[in-house]
Amino acid sequence: MKWESQLKVGKITSRSRTTMNDVIKVRDVLLLNERVFSICDAWPLKKSYMNFVIYASYLTVHMVIMYMDLFDALGNLKAMVDNIIDSTVATATYLLLFLLRFSKLIKQAIIVVKQEIAESKFEDVEEMRLYLAYHNISYKFSRYAAPTTTTLVVLLYLLPMLQLAMSDLGKGNGTSNAYVLPFRVHAFFDYQEDFRVFIFMYLYQFPLVFIALCHISAVSLVLSMVLHVCGKFSILSYRIKNITAISQVNLDSKIKELVIAHIKIMMTANSINSALQIFLLIDLIQTTIRMAIVTYMMLVNPDENFVSRFTYSLYMTLITSILFLYCFMGERLSHESSKVWEAYFDTDWHNLSIHDQKSMLLVMSSGRQIMHVTAGKLYTFSLIGFIGVVKTAFGYVSLLRALT
């Protein structure tokens, strides 16, 4: 699949042709996600499994020793929190890789979206503008989120080594507390007493940096697919509003065409939601847990140094932003799907014949279904739901404070 696909433009007036020359291509926003997941052969359209087996085996070992460390840390609140912050996102990404690689629903949804992007067809400049309003959001996020996340995670990975290098302890005069790994795991070797073992363990954890890149790429994948459907709904609403202006002779055939297009978009939306709802449920749970734990640590340790408080604040901002992004796309999908039904009321239906008015009434009554983005059919993402999740997270904070 090429990165950019030529637009197929239908009926364009001489007035709109000049404007459309400014933007003549639609980018394949899924290509960046494909490149990331292809590194470990987790992309469902790839035929190779070798890198996936290698990386999945590595993650399996890591997940075991990570949860062994969590068991060892029972009773030590600080150690438990540090472990849970890493283990929750690692677990969610671990399960995501298997879902992405082996889920037939996700594979089919990706194929449909990539095909629709490649065959993008607009009848005028306004339809192009409506679609690109959503398309550009997903393109910019996929373009900038992955490099930014990679940079931050690499810096966090290197931070313990940089602190060790800048301290006098790193020159051989220190104690075992100088040797700190980027991620908490149960170590079968006493790396805190042997610098060579410490370096070995440190290098062993480097592939874990890829977990953050996979997770943000998964968020980008979900966002791109949902906003693509939002753009299709927006175009459909625009065509319905102008149906009487462009179809004065054979309105029945035009209504039939719009109904078929509406059914196709709803099937795509339902397919995407069914394919991704398990991952969204897992991500919702781990995001809520991390929000509660990070907030709790900020409250119970108000005297921590500036670097620690800044790190926790930045981490909290990133978690909240991802949750808000999910709720935003769910809100837009519900809004755009409801506009399709409302668009029929905005047509010039009162000047139509009785037969055409009955046809409009029929499609209005049958097209009232509103699409949603759900997490395991248990939670519907919306801006109001975002407030509810935040309240739930703070409820967990109150419970933690009551238990300690």
Side-chain angles (χ1 to χ4, degrees):
M1 185 69 66
K2 295 183 178 180
W3 167 247
E4 296 178 341
S5 55
Q6 189 73 29
L7 283 179
K8 297 179 180 179
V9 183
K11 303 175 182 178
I12 306 175
T13 63
S14 58
R15 180 181 179 183
S16 64
R17 186 177 291 108
T18 302
T19 307
M20 293 198 71
N21 286 334
D22 298 333
V23 184
I24 59 174
K25 293 182 179 179
V26 171
R27 301 175 178 89
D28 183 357
V29 292
L30 303 186
L31 184 59
L32 289 176
N33 309 134
E34 179 179 352
R35 289 173 176 173
V36 171
F37 289 116
S38 294
I39 296 175
C40 61
D41 288 340
W43 190 248
L45 304 187
K46 289 205 67 174
K47 297 181 179 179
S48 174
Y49 285 86
M50 180 178 297
N51 292 340
F52 179 81
V53 172
I54 295 174
Y55 194 66
S57 301
Y58 169 84
L59 286 183
T60 301
V61 174
H62 173 73
M63 296 300 297
V64 172
I65 61 178
M66 178 175 280
Y67 281 105
M68 288 177 65
D69 177 75
L70 179 61
F71 180 80
D72 295 338
L74 293 178
N76 186 338
L77 182 60
K78 181 65 169 61
M80 290 178 61
V81 168
D82 290 341
N83 182 290
I84 292 175
I85 289 177
D86 292 333
S87 61
T88 49
V89 66
T91 302
T93 308
Y94 178 76
L95 297 175
L96 160 72
L97 291 177
F98 282 91
L99 286 173
L100 189 65
R101 174 75 266 195
F102 298 109
S103 174
K104 294 182 179 179
L105 289 176
I106 294 180
K107 180 179 179 179
Q108 185 61 35
I110 291 175
I111 292 174
V112 170
V113 172
K114 289 179 73 72
Q115 182 178 359
E116 290 182 353
I117 292 176
E119 298 175 354
S120 298
K121 182 177 180 181
F122 308 120
E123 295 184 353
D124 57 38
V125 67
E126 180 62 19
E127 290 187 5
M128 183 186 67
R129 186 192 67 81
L130 292 171
Y131 180 79
L132 291 182
Y134 288 106
H135 181 82
N136 289 337
I137 294 175
S138 55
Y139 170 70
K140 290 179 180 178
F141 183 85
S142 62
R143 181 177 181 181
Y144 298 113
T148 303
T149 302
T150 302
T151 302
L152 290 175
V153 174
V154 170
L155 289 176
L156 290 174
Y157 172 79
L158 295 176
L159 184 60
M161 187 61 71
L162 293 175
Q163 291 175 339
L164 180 63
M166 291 186 298
S167 66
D168 292 334
L169 301 177
K171 298 179 181 179
N173 302 321
T175 63
S176 61
N177 293 330
Y179 300 149
V180 179
L181 294 174
F183 309 100
R184 289 190 61 91
V185 293
H186 177 84
F188 294 96
F189 308 100
D190 191 4
Y191 66 89
Q192 293 183 339
E193 299 295 337
D194 191 327
F195 183 72
R196 289 178 297 179
V197 176
F198 168 70
I199 292 298
F200 171 78
M201 293 290 295
Y202 203 99
L203 294 176
Y204 154 78
Q205 290 192 339
F206 181 74
L208 297 178
V209 173
F210 192 63
I211 288 180
L213 182 58
C214 285
H215 184 261
I216 199 65
S217 297
V219 175
S220 175
L221 176 65
V222 176
L223 179 70
S224 299
M225 296 176 73
V226 174
L227 291 189
H228 165 75
V229 176
C230 290
K232 302 287 285 186
F233 271 126
S234 183
I235 292 175
L236 181 62
S237 300
Y238 172 77
R239 290 180 179 178
I240 292 173
K241 290 180 181 178
N242 296 276
I243 186 174
T244 55
I246 62 178
S247 306
Q248 297 179 353
V249 179
N250 192 358
L251 188 62
D252 284 344
S253 61
K254 189 62 180 179
I255 291 178
K256 180 180 179 181
E257 177 184 334
L258 294 175
V259 169
I260 294 175
H262 190 194
I263 294 174
K264 183 178 179 180
I265 298 174
M266 287 194 300
M267 291 177 62
T268 302
N270 286 326
S271 175
I272 292 173
N273 186 63
S274 298
L276 300 174
Q277 61 181 344
I278 297 178
F279 165 71
L280 291 174
L281 177 61
I282 296 172
D283 220 30
L284 175 65
I285 294 173
Q286 65 92 8
T287 298
T288 307
I289 294 174
R290 285 194 293 162
M291 286 179 64
I293 291 178
V294 173
T295 304
Y296 174 74
M297 290 301 298
M298 294 173 65
L299 291 176
V300 299
N301 298 305
D303 298 329
E304 283 193 304
N305 57 49
F306 173 77
V307 176
S308 297
R309 285 188 279 111
F310 177 77
T311 302
Y312 280 130
S313 299
L314 180 60
Y315 196 78
M316 185 68 177
T317 302
L318 293 175
I319 298 172
T320 307
S321 298
I322 291 177
L323 177 61
F324 179 81
L325 199 63
Y326 285 148
C327 295
F328 166 77
M329 67 183 184
E331 183 76 20
R332 296 313 304 173
L333 179 61
S334 299
H335 174 72
E336 292 295 345
S337 61
S338 64
K339 279 177 59 179
V340 174
W341 175 61
E342 297 171 357
Y344 285 104
F345 288 96
D346 296 331
T347 60
D348 194 18
W349 58 268
H350 51 277
N351 291 326
L352 299 177
S353 64
I354 299 299
H355 172 75
D356 291 335
Q357 288 183 7
K358 290 181 178 180
S359 298
M360 295 285 284
L361 180 62
L362 180 62
V363 294
M364 277 191 286
S365 60
S366 60
R368 301 180 63 175
Q369 184 176 357
I370 299 178
M371 300 288 103
H372 300 285
V373 178
T374 61
K377 298 183 179 180
L378 300 175
Y379 174 83
T380 299
F381 287 99
S382 64
L383 294 181
I384 296 178
F386 171 76
I387 299 175
V389 174
V390 173
K391 289 182 178 179
T392 301
F394 279 96
Y396 293 156
V397 173
S398 299
L399 177 61
L400 289 172
R401 298 195 67 178
L403 293 175
T404 56

